[in-house]
Amino acid sequence: MTQAGIGDPSGGVIDAWLAAHRDRLIGWRRRIHANPELSRQEVATTELVMTELAALGLSPRRLPLGTGVVCDLGPATGPRLALRADMDALPITEHTGLPFSSTTDGVSHSCGHDAHTAILLGTAAVLASAPGLPVGVRLIFQPAEEVMPGGALDAVAAGVTEGVSRIFALHCDPRLPVGSVGLREGALTSAADHIELQLRSPGGHTSRPHLTGDLVYAMGTVITGLPGILSRRIDPRSGTVMAWGAAHAGNAPNAIPQEGQLRGTVRTGEHRTWAEMEPLVRSVVGELLAPLGVSYDLSYFRGVPPVVNDVTAIEMLTRSVAAIGEDAVADTPQSPGGEDFSWYLEQVPGAMGRLGVWSGFGPQVDLHSPNFDIDERALDVGVRALAGVIFGVGSEG
């Protein structure tokens, strides 16, 4: 990893803070990691953030629902940039064996939100230590990213995007080596919706399926037919993926069941396609089941839109990351995963980067795995990237 600081428009403020406080930054991450809290339950994490920001001489405010924090600093007038981190953990039992492993049964920071929160705290400390900031800054420590439609909607409803001209965030990526940040203009993630299909039939004997509605056959028709037809109705360049995650019906091998359930997800990387997806799914399911003698109820749960990185915002983030070192800027593909940072981008332009957290040795353990961990050198990189955006904008925002 290349040492940062070359061309740093902050005049070395970032370097100086990290040199003096790197252990503090790591300590925040480890404390949060050891005490993970599920979505909308981030009480201790919120208190930690509030306490640390107040110790910097700042005036943090708790979000209205009780967890999450927003804090402004820098000039009170003129343009304002927002920096966001998510704070919640997942209902996953940790298996890393780290000395600071989760102390909460069945809950762990298996997606790196402990790192995101620590990085934004470090960024806040760097900015607070500067003699002056060229632009107003809003720090958003957001709860409930891991549930749909996401805590970002609550934060937006609380007014966190008001007066903001652009917003930035980072997300851990174990596919990228530490020292790098994956950047991409345009769509970075995908919209992610949930489908639940309840089917009903009079039931009957498997020797006489013609006398009833064959519910399992109907389920199979939808299981294979819906993804197949969507692939023929939607432009493949949209990155649309439909897959089932659960199918339940019956117990006896010689009885046609009366009830069945399918659950799955639909993901797409194109905003326009996302807007059209629900009516299309409803139409296709109706067409598939019409001749089969079963009734059904389809529940369609809209999730999050795709994260689409703004051209100017990604240029700003790229300049900041490039100052870290010559190999810091990395390419990254669009992901079929969902991320509720997209709700902010429905209000203001912005950009998210993928923070490399792989040490370069051993397996690249994926997000949401009980063995997920980060190379803690990535914390420095994250602080440099976010603080560098602020120091690098000049007075124009």
Side-chain angles (χ1 to χ4, degrees), residues 301-341:
F301 302 97
R302 295 260 287 176
V304 295
V307 169
V308 181
N309 284 337
D310 168 69
V311 174
T312 300
I314 204 69
E315 289 174 351
M316 295 166 66
L317 188 54
T318 299
R319 285 195 297 270
S320 176
V321 173
I324 297 172
E326 61 183 62
D327 300 322
V329 176
D331 293 329
T332 188
Q334 182 182 0
S335 166
E339 161 62 64
D340 82 348
F341 182 69

Side-chain angles (χ1 to χ4, degrees), residues 49-274:
V49 170
M50 292 281 290
T51 299
E52 295 296 338
L53 293 178
L56 296 172
L58 303 177
S59 300
R61 309 185 305 277
R62 202 181 305 267
L63 290 175
L65 295 184
T67 59
V69 179
V70 61
C71 183
D72 290 349
L73 65 159
T77 60
R80 184 173 299 278
L81 301 182
L83 306 175
R84 172 269 204 175
D86 38 15
M87 308 193 308
D88 55 329
L90 287 159
I92 295 174
T93 299
E94 182 171 353
H95 294 159
T96 62
L98 293 168
F100 50 90
S101 287
S102 170
T103 58
T104 304
D105 290 342
V107 182
S108 66
H109 273 292
S110 301
C111 200
H113 295 187
D114 54 333
H116 301 169
T117 302
I119 286 168
L120 192 54
L121 276 175
T123 302
V126 168
L127 298 178
S129 72
L133 296 178
V135 66
V137 179
R138 177 162 296 157
L139 309 171
I140 304 168
F141 294 85
Q142 180 210 303
E145 189 276 332
E146 293 291 359
V147 294
M148 288 190 180
L153 279 177
D154 300 328
V156 169
V160 301
T161 58
E162 294 175 6
V164 170
S165 58
R166 284 188 174 82
I167 186 168
F168 299 86
L170 298 172
H171 197 295
C172 292
D173 189 339
R175 297 165 297 180
L176 292 174
V178 65
S180 64
V181 179
L183 301 172
R184 176 188 176 89
E185 178 187 321
L188 181 72
T189 68
S190 298
D193 297 344
H194 289 179
I195 299 172
E196 290 189 6
L197 184 64
Q198 303 284 344
L199 299 101
R200 294 179 298 277
S201 163
H205 201 289
T206 56
S207 67
R208 294 178 288 275
H210 59 289
L211 298 181
T212 187
D214 190 339
L215 186 132
V216 174
Y217 180 84
M219 288 177 63
T221 299
V222 177
I223 287 171
T224 58
L226 182 58
I229 292 175
L230 290 180
S231 74
R232 296 303 184 269
R233 297 269 188 97
I234 298 172
D235 189 329
R237 292 172 295 183
S238 68
T240 300
V241 178
M242 194 277 141
W244 299 105
H248 304 282
N251 292 296
N254 60 346
I256 294 173
Q258 293 181 309
E259 296 181 347
Q261 182 190 68
L262 295 174
R263 301 175 67 195
T265 61
V266 180
R267 304 171 186 270
T268 184
E270 188 176 81
H271 204 286
R272 183 181 62 185
T273 302
W274 182 60

Side-chain angles (χ1 to χ4, degrees), residues 1-8 14-16 18-19 22 179 321-328 380-381 384:
M1 182 170 62
T2 306
Q3 175 64 36
I6 300 172
D8 180 3
I14 303 174
D15 285 339
L18 287 171
R22 184 170 287 108
V321 173
I324 297 172
E326 61 183 62
D327 300 322
D380 279 35
V381 178
R384 294 185 189 280

Side-chain angles (χ1 to χ4, degrees), residues 345-360:
L345 302 185
E346 297 288 293
Q347 306 297 317
V348 297
M352 170 176 275
R354 300 191 193 280
L355 179 67
V357 297
W358 179 48
S359 67

